[in-house]
Every structure is written in C-alpha cells, then in structure tokens.
C-alpha cells in the first residue's frame, strides 16, 4: 500500500486556476495506476482524470481540455492542473491509486478508478 496526502485546494473565482498535489509515500517501487475523482454535495463520485505508469492520461468529458494530470516520478507527486474553473467544478477532490499488478498489467478505464484501494484525505475546491 501507499499513503496519499493531498494539498492545493481552495476558493477561487470562475476562470481562475488551481494546481492540486498528491504526495505519494510507502511502497512506491511498485507501478501504480493513479487517478483523480471528485464529489460534490448530494452528487455521485465522479472520476475526472487518470494516469498510468507510462504517463498515458485520460479525462472525463466534463474536464477535457481544462484539466491536466501529471506525475513527477522523482518526487512521487501527482498533480492536477485545473484551468478555466467553473462553479460546476466545486467539489471535494480525491487522489486514488492502485497497483498495476492488481489489474494484470493494464490500468482500468476511467469509470472504474473508484475501485482503487488507496485514497487521499481529499481537498476542497470551491469556485464562485
């Protein structure tokens, strides 16, 4: 298992940007599938971005073109750069990870990343 610690949330105006960080510690020698999910009050949890150990990224339609997920493998930090933020992006944002070996060498598609078994504590993003 790995431990995920999140930071970078806050309150911004529509059109502004935020960069969320997720620091990864623990058994980092294993390859991990990683992703970002969000949950707004009264809504289902939504997967918004994923990245595999090779750096391949996928995004939900709701954030495509505005959000960028990346990973610094030297520092073991997962980033989510969020641009052109909208009030509809207001939510608690979570970082999640799972070992690639748990998925027979292929990270699951975006809708299934809610199954990941390592989670950060969440960071609040509020856009007004």
């Amino acid at each position: 298992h790995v431990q995920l610690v999140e930071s970078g949330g806050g309150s911004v105006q529509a059109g502004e940007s935020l960069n969320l960080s997720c620091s990864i510690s623990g058994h980092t020698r294993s390859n991990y599938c990683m992703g970002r999910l969000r949950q707004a009050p009264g809504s289902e949890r939504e997967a918004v971005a994923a990245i595999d150990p090779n750096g391949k990224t996928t995004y939900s339609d709701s954030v495509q073109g505005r959000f960028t997920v990346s990973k610094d493998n030297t520092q073991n930090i997962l980033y989510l750069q969020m641009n052109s933020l909208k009030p509809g992006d207001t939510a608690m944002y979570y970082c999640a990870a799972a070992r690639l070996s748990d998925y027979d060498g292929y990270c699951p598609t975006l809708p299934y990343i809610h199954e990941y078994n390592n989670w950060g504590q969440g960071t609040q993003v509020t856009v007004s």
Side-chain angles (χ1 to χ4, degrees):
H1 286 287
V2 291
Q3 291 76 48
L4 308 175
V5 178
E6 308 193 49
S7 60
S11 296
V12 297
Q13 299 290 316
E16 294 184 343
S17 300
L18 280 173
N19 192 12
L20 305 184
S21 298
C22 174
S23 296
I24 309 153
S25 61
H27 292 181
T28 56
R29 289 185 180 179
S30 298
N31 285 330
Y32 279 85
C33 305
M34 302 205 66
R36 282 286 192 175
L37 303 92
R38 66 185 183 186
Q39 188 166 21
S43 298
E44 303 250 333
R45 192 167 288 181
E46 176 191 13
V48 297
I51 185 168
D52 74 7
N54 293 320
K56 180 183 176 182
T57 58
T58 55
Y59 300 92
S60 66
D61 289 344
S62 60
V63 307
Q64 179 76 48
R66 299 187 298 123
F67 290 12
T68 303
V69 63
S70 61
K71 186 169 179 280
D72 182 330
N73 290 315
T74 301
Q75 300 291 329
N76 285 323
I77 299 175
L78 181 74
Y79 295 103
L80 183 69
Q81 176 65 41
M82 306 186 296
N83 297 329
S84 302
L85 283 162
K86 306 174 181 178
D89 295 318
T90 295
M92 184 71 79
Y93 282 72
Y94 296 92
C95 173
R99 287 184 303 184
L100 183 65
S101 57
D102 290 345
Y103 291 94
D104 295 326
Y106 295 94
C107 293
T109 56
L110 195 62
Y112 295 97
I113 70 172
H114 67 275
E115 298 175 348
Y116 289 176
N117 57 355
N118 298 277
W119 288 78
Q121 82 280 12
T123 186
Q124 178 68 37
V125 171
T126 302
V127 186
S128 59

